[in-house]
Amino acid sequence: MAQLRDKILIVEDDTGILKFLKTTLTANNYDVVLTENGKDALAMIYSHCPDCILLDLGLPDMDGNTIIESVRSWAKTPIIVISARSTETDKATALDLGADDYLTKPFGTLELLARIRAALRHTRTTAENDEIALKGIYQVGDLRIDYNKHRAFLGEQDAGLTPNEFRIVALLGKHAGQVLTYKTILHELWGPSASSDNKILRVHMANIRRKIEPNPDEPCYIFTEVGVGYRMASND
Ligand code: CA
């Protein structure tokens, strides 16, 4: 039986990058559809139903953020932004509008493919990581998040997280591989009226890292996207 391939829509007006992406993705067994402008992109999302969208922000006819907003009003198709815009505000804006991930140009092929795999996995697993849904556990390396016991373990050792620290780790685990912005984390954990002060999150994270990371200065489980948010390591 022929394997069903995932279809990736590339929206990019730089023909050099477009060609590179097309070649790379085709060589890695993805079906590729592409366009250089926003208007066609929106039409193609309807007509082609891609499994994932790679989206440049600086398009000739519209801003990519407009596309994110539009798509999110009716579809959950994963969107990975690929952009030369590299400020923390640019990243946070796109992620808060509903982009799943953000890659700053230039980026490496392996990084791109890893992000695409992570994005595709998220759509296959309803709202939560399938491993968590099945076993109530997310495991990466020695770190085990037990959602039934509300505890995190390092090997057999209870990491001793406080309830709030556990909630942060649990949330990141459910979205492993994906950047969650400070705003998203604060809202998810403490509701829409939560303070937008990231300081409390940084304090919690410093404590969490002290408890779970072999070397808190070079984390291997929870990574910082500077000025944007945090990402839990994927277990693939
Ligand atoms: Ca562009």
Side-chain angles (χ1 to χ4, degrees):
M1 201 172 85
Q3 204 189 342
L4 200 59
R5 291 163 169 239
D6 286 308
K7 190 189 290 174
I8 316 279
L9 170 65
I10 309 170
V11 189
E12 167 66 79
D13 64 327
D14 180 319
T15 45
I17 297 176
L18 191 64
K19 206 174 153 199
F20 158 76
L21 290 172
K22 185 180 181 228
T23 310
T24 303
L25 296 185
T26 307
N28 284 276
N29 294 316
Y30 290 106
D31 277 341
V32 173
V33 281
L34 37 92
T35 173
E36 298 178 19
N37 68 71
K39 186 169 163 279
D40 288 350
L42 285 170
M44 287 168 89
I45 294 164
Y46 277 108
S47 57
H48 288 271
C49 297
D51 299 292
C52 180
I53 302 164
L54 295 185
L55 178 67
D56 179 28
L57 292 181
L59 298 169
D61 59 338
M62 66 176 80
D63 190 283
N65 282 324
T66 312
I67 297 181
I68 300 174
E69 237 181 326
S70 169
V71 172
R72 278 297 166 267
S73 64
W74 59 277
K76 288 183 177 163
T77 318
I79 300 173
I80 301 174
V81 170
I82 43 170
S83 179
R85 298 181 199 166
S86 59
T87 71
E88 296 163 2
T89 313
D90 289 325
K91 291 182 189 173
T93 301
L95 292 165
D96 283 333
L97 283 172
D100 295 74
D101 212 337
Y102 198 109
L103 272 174
T104 306
K105 294 172 184 169
F107 46 81
T109 307
L110 291 179
E111 184 73 16
L112 172 72
L113 293 171
R115 303 286 184 97
I116 291 175
R117 282 196 304 273
L120 289 170
R121 204 169 47 230
H122 289 307
T123 49
R124 300 232 164 80
T125 55
T126 61
E128 294 183 6
N129 188 300
D130 52 354
E131 188 182 340
I132 295 170
L134 265 157
K135 294 188 260 171
I137 282 170
Y138 179 71
Q139 171 111 31
V140 54
D142 281 338
L143 176 67
R144 190 169 85 251
I145 308 171
D146 189 319
Y147 287 83
N148 298 320
K149 292 182 182 159
H150 294 276
R151 283 174 197 280
F153 298 86
L154 275 178
E156 293 307 311
Q157 196 79 35
D158 190 322
L161 299 182
T162 66
N164 275 335
E165 289 164 6
F166 179 80
R167 291 173 73 201
I168 296 168
V169 171
L171 179 68
L172 289 166
K174 282 183 182 173
H175 299 271
Q178 197 178 357
V179 186
L180 297 187
T181 63
Y182 299 126
K183 192 173 151 193
T184 301
I185 298 171
L186 290 166
H187 279 207
E188 283 286 327
L189 265 50
W190 290 289
S193 59
S195 147
S196 58
D197 184 2
N198 306 333
K199 216 171 81 189
I200 182 155
L201 218 44
R202 289 207 201 95
V203 172
H204 281 313
M205 191 51 70
N207 291 328
I208 290 168
R209 284 188 169 138
R210 210 164 29 75
K211 293 175 182 177
I212 68 167
E213 296 283 359
N215 176 2
D217 294 331
E218 284 176 41
C220 63
Y221 295 123
I222 300 176
F223 308 110
T224 298
E225 293 284 323
V226 178
V228 178
Y230 298 107
R231 178 203 300 271
M232 171 76 70
S234 325
N235 59 2
D236 62 351

